[in-house]
Every structure is written in C-alpha cells, then in structure tokens.
Amino acid sequence: MNYLNAHFKTSTYIKRQWIGLFFGLLGATLMQFTFPVGDNVLLDLRQISIVLSISMGGSVAGIITTIIIMITRIILSPTIGLSAILGLVNAATLCIVASWIFSRKISFYRKWLYSGIALTIIAMISLSIVLGKNEIDKVFVFIIVESAATLFIFMLTRSLRKNNELFEKVSKEAQFDFLTGLYNPRAFEHKFEQLQHQETDMAHSLLFIDIDHFKKVNDEYGHPAGDAVLFQLANVIQQSIRSTDYGARKGGEEFAVWLEYCQLTEAKIIAETLRTNVEKKKFVLPDGKIIHITISIGIGMYPALLWDELLEKTDQALYEAKQQGRNRSCLAQF
C-alpha cells in the first residue's frame, strides 16, 4: 500500500516526537517529586518515563525524552557534581539499553521485564557509588520503591496497549476492505465528503474501474479464484497510482481511485498505465493456474464536473468504456 505507507510513516514519526516530548515533560515533572536516601542525595522516578517513552514511541521518542530529562537535570543542579554526572550517565545508558531491548523480537512483557531489570541494575550501581557501602540499605529501599512503581506503570501500559490495539482493529475494519486492503465504500464516501468541503478550485480526478467479464472467472474457476484475482488487482492498483492517491473497493469487482490535485492530462496517463499493467499482469489462481484479465476505466474531474454530477458522469464514462469494447479508458462528458 504505497499511498498508505507514505502517510503512515509521516504520521508515525510525528506521533513519536510528541510521545518523546510528553514523557520528557513527565520525567522533568517527576524530578520535582524527590525523596531523600542519604546526606544531600535526592532520588526520583524519572527513569521510568524513559522506558515508558521507548515502549510507546520507540528509540526516537526515547532519545527526545532523555534529552529533555538531561537538560532539566543540568538546569536544576546548582553545581555539576558526581551525583549530577551519574544522573546524566544513567539516563543516557538506560535509553541505549532500553532501545536495544525494545528493538528485539521478543514479547512485550519480556521487553518490559528486561528493561525493568536494566533500570534496577543501573540505578543500583549509581547509588552504590554515591552512597557507599555503609548506606547500602538505602539503596535497597529505593530499588523496592522503583520496582513497585515500574510494576504499576507496566500494568497500566499493558491495559492501555490492549485498548489501543482493539481501537486500531475496529478502526481498520471500519475503513478498509477485508479482502483487498483498499478503503471500503464507506471510507470512499467519507473521502468524497472531505473533498467537497475543501471549497477549492484545485483539480481532483476520479477513476472508476471495473473488471471485464469477471463473472466468467467466478463461473469457470470458482469464487476463491475470483477473490485471488481481486486481491492481486488491488496490488496492481496500489503500484500504479501515486503515493498520495486514494484507492478503494466500491463493491464486487468495482474499484475507485481519487487522484488528488491531479489534472485531466495526468489522470489519463495514470489510467492508461494502470490499464496496461493489469493487461500484462499474470494472475495466479489458488490451484496455480495463470490467467489474464482486463479492466475498463471511467475518468472524471473536478471542477470540470460539479461535485453533484462527478460520480454519475464518471460512472457513465465507465459504462461507455464497456460499450466501446472494454479494456479501455473513457473520459466523462463535461
């Protein structure tokens, strides 16, 4: 899904930046709630925000969170002593280790377990250096407090993660066609409404696509073969259009593509490229048999056509392509 991947990568990267910023501010806030464990030694739970950030936003988010925490630590320290230096080293080390752990192909629970162990070990080493052997009991008190807080955060994160996965699943089912992976008719209509409300004179083109003699495929080879053809055709559509275009399955063997900010000349080129790619494509059926299919395409464009007539005129153009012999594209009548 080239057009989906481009959007997904961009939005995901921005989302990770916001996650990093949020947990960075959380870590900076946690630094204000300290508790003493020795003479002139104050501890907090800022490290947990680093693990949280990485678990939800990856290494990019973790780096942003760590940088914010390190800057805050420097600002809050009147002098850069051993404790401050160890605090900076701890944050950087935990970010590196946790990023590596969460990049591994292991379960989410093991990632959290190993990160929690790493957090504990790093904190224990630092506290031992600052407090010395005589106050090792205070080290264990802090480790118990931090472990309890980490366990609580893990349980909360697990619950949020399950809810988020359920939401994404429902959202995906509401927008995408289960067979082809393209947008479904409801999402297609929503996109149409979005474009209408833009109130712009910029050109938008529309393709209506129909498989020629698709009923023969189902009748001769069976419906599983027909599903295989639909799935492979969706891939050809995705590979033939631009990354910014919006492909959808209207139903049955009918598809549509919104070509945003696309003049008619370019739309005709895209339509013909798609038609040619389908004609050359070897469609593999479940039993291994190879067949060839063709498609007919209707092409419409706004503002040459008003919104209230765009769908109807484009559909008429598709019908005209069928009437003229199929395996061709036709322009809507303006």
mmCIF file of all heavy atoms in Angstrom, residues 240-257:
data_model
loop_
_atom_site.group_PDB
_atom_site.id
_atom_site.type_symbol
_atom_site.label_atom_id
_atom_site.label_comp_id
_atom_site.label_asym_id
_atom_site.label_seq_id
_atom_site.Cartn_x
_atom_site.Cartn_y
_atom_site.Cartn_z
ATOM 1 N N SER A 240 0.349 1.209 -9.262
ATOM 2 C CA SER A 240 0.226 2.014 -10.474
ATOM 3 C C SER A 240 -0.124 3.471 -10.209
ATOM 4 O O SER A 240 0.016 4.317 -11.086
ATOM 5 C CB SER A 240 -0.832 1.402 -11.410
ATOM 6 O OG SER A 240 -0.514 0.066 -11.736
ATOM 7 N N ILE A 241 -0.640 3.766 -9.016
ATOM 8 C CA ILE A 241 -1.051 5.132 -8.706
ATOM 9 C C ILE A 241 0.013 5.812 -7.856
ATOM 10 O O ILE A 241 0.987 5.190 -7.429
ATOM 11 C CB ILE A 241 -2.415 5.152 -7.983
ATOM 12 C CG1 ILE A 241 -2.337 4.386 -6.659
ATOM 13 C CG2 ILE A 241 -3.484 4.550 -8.880
ATOM 14 C CD1 ILE A 241 -3.640 4.350 -5.880
ATOM 15 N N ARG A 242 -0.169 7.090 -7.596
ATOM 16 C CA ARG A 242 0.794 7.857 -6.813
ATOM 17 C C ARG A 242 0.630 7.575 -5.329
ATOM 18 O O ARG A 242 -0.400 7.086 -4.882
ATOM 19 C CB ARG A 242 0.624 9.346 -7.093
ATOM 20 C CG ARG A 242 0.694 9.725 -8.572
ATOM 21 C CD ARG A 242 0.240 11.166 -8.782
ATOM 22 N NE ARG A 242 -1.086 11.396 -8.213
ATOM 23 C CZ ARG A 242 -1.690 12.577 -8.167
ATOM 24 N NH1 ARG A 242 -1.087 13.636 -8.685
ATOM 25 N NH2 ARG A 242 -2.892 12.704 -7.648
ATOM 26 N N SER A 243 1.663 7.905 -4.545
ATOM 27 C CA SER A 243 1.614 7.643 -3.107
ATOM 28 C C SER A 243 0.546 8.472 -2.409
ATOM 29 O O SER A 243 0.073 8.102 -1.333
ATOM 30 C CB SER A 243 2.980 7.936 -2.477
ATOM 31 O OG SER A 243 3.333 9.294 -2.652
ATOM 32 N N THR A 244 0.140 9.589 -3.012
ATOM 33 C CA THR A 244 -0.867 10.462 -2.403
ATOM 34 C C THR A 244 -2.293 10.116 -2.822
ATOM 35 O O THR A 244 -3.241 10.719 -2.328
ATOM 36 C CB THR A 244 -0.590 11.928 -2.768
ATOM 37 O OG1 THR A 244 -0.526 12.048 -4.200
ATOM 38 C CG2 THR A 244 0.722 12.396 -2.165
ATOM 39 N N ASP A 245 -2.453 9.171 -3.735
ATOM 40 C CA ASP A 245 -3.776 8.828 -4.229
ATOM 41 C C ASP A 245 -4.498 7.877 -3.270
ATOM 42 O O ASP A 245 -3.889 7.287 -2.381
ATOM 43 C CB ASP A 245 -3.677 8.210 -5.628
ATOM 44 C CG ASP A 245 -3.125 9.193 -6.644
ATOM 45 O OD1 ASP A 245 -3.335 10.399 -6.447
ATOM 46 O OD2 ASP A 245 -2.466 8.762 -7.603
ATOM 47 N N TYR A 246 -5.781 7.723 -3.507
ATOM 48 C CA TYR A 246 -6.671 7.077 -2.546
ATOM 49 C C TYR A 246 -7.477 6.002 -3.246
ATOM 50 O O TYR A 246 -8.452 6.285 -3.948
ATOM 51 C CB TYR A 246 -7.580 8.171 -1.967
ATOM 52 C CG TYR A 246 -8.411 7.810 -0.772
ATOM 53 C CD1 TYR A 246 -7.992 8.131 0.514
ATOM 54 C CD2 TYR A 246 -9.646 7.191 -0.919
ATOM 55 C CE1 TYR A 246 -8.787 7.841 1.617
ATOM 56 C CE2 TYR A 246 -10.440 6.893 0.172
ATOM 57 C CZ TYR A 246 -10.003 7.224 1.440
ATOM 58 O OH TYR A 246 -10.780 6.943 2.536
ATOM 59 N N GLY A 247 -7.046 4.742 -3.116
ATOM 60 C CA GLY A 247 -7.723 3.643 -3.792
ATOM 61 C C GLY A 247 -8.772 2.993 -2.909
ATOM 62 O O GLY A 247 -8.578 2.837 -1.704
ATOM 63 N N ALA A 248 -9.899 2.599 -3.499
ATOM 64 C CA ALA A 248 -10.985 1.997 -2.732
ATOM 65 C C ALA A 248 -11.677 0.918 -3.555
ATOM 66 O O ALA A 248 -11.670 0.947 -4.788
ATOM 67 C CB ALA A 248 -11.992 3.066 -2.313
ATOM 68 N N ARG A 249 -12.258 -0.023 -2.835
ATOM 69 C CA ARG A 249 -13.114 -1.021 -3.483
ATOM 70 C C ARG A 249 -14.552 -0.594 -3.284
ATOM 71 O O ARG A 249 -15.022 -0.455 -2.153
ATOM 72 C CB ARG A 249 -12.876 -2.405 -2.882
ATOM 73 C CG ARG A 249 -13.686 -3.499 -3.573
ATOM 74 C CD ARG A 249 -13.519 -4.836 -2.870
ATOM 75 N NE ARG A 249 -14.320 -5.884 -3.496
ATOM 76 C CZ ARG A 249 -14.547 -7.075 -2.947
ATOM 77 N NH1 ARG A 249 -14.021 -7.356 -1.752
ATOM 78 N NH2 ARG A 249 -15.279 -7.967 -3.580
ATOM 79 N N LYS A 250 -15.259 -0.376 -4.378
ATOM 80 C CA LYS A 250 -16.650 0.060 -4.289
ATOM 81 C C LYS A 250 -17.583 -1.094 -3.973
ATOM 82 O O LYS A 250 -18.653 -0.905 -3.397
ATOM 83 C CB LYS A 250 -17.083 0.712 -5.604
ATOM 84 C CG LYS A 250 -16.425 2.051 -5.892
ATOM 85 C CD LYS A 250 -16.957 2.624 -7.199
ATOM 86 C CE LYS A 250 -18.455 2.856 -7.135
ATOM 87 N NZ LYS A 250 -19.021 3.314 -8.426
ATOM 88 N N GLY A 251 -17.178 -2.285 -4.355
ATOM 89 C CA GLY A 251 -18.015 -3.461 -4.149
ATOM 90 C C GLY A 251 -17.878 -4.404 -5.323
ATOM 91 O O GLY A 251 -17.686 -3.965 -6.463
ATOM 92 N N GLY A 252 -17.971 -5.714 -5.054
ATOM 93 C CA GLY A 252 -17.832 -6.683 -6.141
ATOM 94 C C GLY A 252 -16.499 -6.527 -6.847
ATOM 95 O O GLY A 252 -15.444 -6.524 -6.231
ATOM 96 N N GLU A 253 -16.573 -6.376 -8.189
ATOM 97 C CA GLU A 253 -15.354 -6.201 -8.980
ATOM 98 C C GLU A 253 -15.126 -4.738 -9.363
ATOM 99 O O GLU A 253 -14.356 -4.444 -10.287
ATOM 100 C CB GLU A 253 -15.417 -7.061 -10.249
ATOM 101 C CG GLU A 253 -16.453 -6.635 -11.274
ATOM 102 C CD GLU A 253 -17.826 -7.244 -11.043
ATOM 103 O OE1 GLU A 253 -18.133 -7.621 -9.895
ATOM 104 O OE2 GLU A 253 -18.583 -7.345 -12.021
ATOM 105 N N GLU A 254 -15.765 -3.820 -8.676
ATOM 106 C CA GLU A 254 -15.653 -2.396 -8.983
ATOM 107 C C GLU A 254 -14.740 -1.683 -7.985
ATOM 108 O O GLU A 254 -14.839 -1.905 -6.777
ATOM 109 C CB GLU A 254 -17.031 -1.744 -8.980
ATOM 110 C CG GLU A 254 -17.968 -2.284 -10.042
ATOM 111 C CD GLU A 254 -19.302 -1.557 -10.038
ATOM 112 O OE1 GLU A 254 -19.470 -0.621 -9.222
ATOM 113 O OE2 GLU A 254 -20.172 -1.923 -10.844
ATOM 114 N N PHE A 255 -13.872 -0.826 -8.530
ATOM 115 C CA PHE A 255 -12.918 -0.090 -7.714
ATOM 116 C C PHE A 255 -12.977 1.391 -8.089
ATOM 117 O O PHE A 255 -13.527 1.768 -9.128
ATOM 118 C CB PHE A 255 -11.494 -0.609 -7.941
ATOM 119 C CG PHE A 255 -11.298 -2.046 -7.519
ATOM 120 C CD1 PHE A 255 -11.684 -3.094 -8.355
ATOM 121 C CD2 PHE A 255 -10.735 -2.349 -6.288
ATOM 122 C CE1 PHE A 255 -11.506 -4.415 -7.969
ATOM 123 C CE2 PHE A 255 -10.560 -3.671 -5.897
ATOM 124 C CZ PHE A 255 -10.943 -4.697 -6.738
ATOM 125 N N ALA A 256 -12.394 2.199 -7.230
ATOM 126 C CA ALA A 256 -12.320 3.637 -7.496
ATOM 127 C C ALA A 256 -10.991 4.166 -6.986
ATOM 128 O O ALA A 256 -10.408 3.617 -6.044
ATOM 129 C CB ALA A 256 -13.471 4.378 -6.818
ATOM 130 N N VAL A 257 -10.517 5.232 -7.624
ATOM 131 C CA VAL A 257 -9.283 5.890 -7.183
ATOM 132 C C VAL A 257 -9.490 7.399 -7.217
ATOM 133 O O VAL A 257 -9.843 7.957 -8.270
ATOM 134 C CB VAL A 257 -8.074 5.518 -8.082
ATOM 135 C CG1 VAL A 257 -6.832 6.282 -7.613
ATOM 136 C CG2 VAL A 257 -7.816 4.019 -8.061
#
